[in-house]
Amino acid sequence: MLPRVLETEAMDSAQEARDYDTIDHSQVNRVFVTDFLASWDGNGPVLDVGTGTAQIPIELCRRAPKAQVVAIDLAEHMLEIGRENVRKAGFSDRLRLERQDAKHLTYPAHSFAAVISNSIVHHIPEPAAVLAEIVRVARPGGLLFIRDLLRPVTDEMVRHLVATHAVDHNSHQRKMFDDSLRAALSLEEIRSMVADLGFDPITVQQTTDRHWTWHTKNV
């Protein structure tokens, strides 16, 4: 197993935000929202942790007309682009973006009926803190739907994944993906963390060649 190599926690430069937003995440985002909607009952507010430029909550609002979403990120440049994306999509009345540190959320306990997150965990040096906050702000019985990258076992696997999934990216975008894969958790690591929070580790599954998903109801 490759060692975990940390990357920058908040991608807070204008170039990083632009490069991230211009990557075509549409297929991955549609799959994420489809998988979430298969389990969500449609009731109550949703929190999106690590929203980036708000592509996933925009897709959610597009497909769930009653969805009310709070989306947070630590990177102000990401949020600037995200707010413009939300405005253009016409969802400013249902989708609110806020700058928050996912390790220290300001929301009261049990504030949200569902918490979603896509690809924030690998950015955090000590991701257990983010997972604990996600659990804290979710209502008892609320849906937790967390997806992130899975760290490859070898350098060869990293190169294969970058070549497969970043073939049309520019050099900076490919490096961002390579760095993210190396910063990701292994399946054993994330399962250990959710077990420490009182959840069955089997609720974390590898769901693609490069992702794990934690899908469960809050206790």
Side-chain angles (χ1 to χ4, degrees):
M1 171 65 68
L2 290 174
R4 187 179 184 216
V5 180
L6 299 179
E7 61 177 349
T8 303
E9 181 171 337
M11 295 192 300
D12 203 3
S13 75
Q15 180 188 1
E16 286 176 319
R18 285 194 302 270
D19 275 352
Y20 179 83
D21 191 59
T22 56
I23 295 172
D24 184 5
H25 299 283
S26 57
Q27 181 179 0
V28 171
N29 293 344
R30 284 194 297 270
V31 171
F32 183 98
V33 172
T34 295
D35 292 347
F36 171 67
L37 289 175
S39 298
W40 184 46
D41 64 7
N43 296 316
V46 178
L47 176 66
D48 179 28
V49 178
T51 196
T53 58
Q55 295 181 16
I56 281 179
I58 287 171
E59 178 71 11
L60 176 58
C61 287
R62 186 176 292 123
R63 295 173 56 185
K66 295 182 179 180
Q68 295 286 336
V69 186
V70 177
I72 67 110
D73 205 281
L74 188 60
E76 187 57 43
H77 284 98
M78 290 282 191
L79 292 172
E80 287 177 6
I81 294 175
R83 292 185 185 104
E84 181 64 12
N85 289 343
V86 171
R87 186 193 67 77
K88 289 179 178 178
F91 295 130
S92 298
D93 58 333
R94 296 196 286 129
L95 172 51
R96 184 173 80 251
L97 270 60
E98 297 183 348
R99 188 173 187 268
Q100 291 261 349
D101 184 344
K103 304 184 299 300
H104 306 285
L105 297 173
T106 62
Y107 308 114
H110 309 154
S111 294
F112 297 95
V115 181
I116 64 175
S117 180
N118 183 59
S119 294
I120 186 181
V121 171
H122 71 267
H123 284 288
I124 310 300
E126 298 294 339
V130 173
L131 300 176
E133 280 293 86
I134 285 171
V135 170
R136 183 185 68 81
V137 301
R139 295 173 183 172
L143 182 61
L144 307 179
F145 192 84
I146 315 302
R147 180 167 290 168
D148 210 291
L149 293 171
L150 184 69
R151 190 168 78 252
V153 176
T154 65
D155 285 315
E156 182 180 4
M157 290 179 65
V158 173
R159 290 191 292 270
H160 170 73
L161 290 171
V162 172
T164 301
H165 299 291
V167 62
D168 296 325
H169 297 8
N170 64 39
S171 59
H172 182 239
Q173 291 168 334
R174 288 195 295 273
K175 185 178 186 306
M176 290 167 63
F177 185 41
D178 186 293
D179 289 346
S180 292
L181 288 168
R182 296 176 187 277
L185 300 178
S186 68
L187 196 62
E188 292 75 16
E189 287 166 344
I190 183 61
R191 282 179 168 173
S192 176
M193 290 179 188
V194 305
D196 288 344
L197 291 169
F199 294 87
D200 188 341
I202 203 67
T203 57
V204 181
Q205 293 287 329
Q206 180 172 349
T207 46
T208 76
D209 61 347
R210 64 199 185 282
H211 293 105
W212 55 260
T213 303
W214 183 27
H215 178 193
T216 191
K217 294 290 185 69
N218 198 17
V219 293

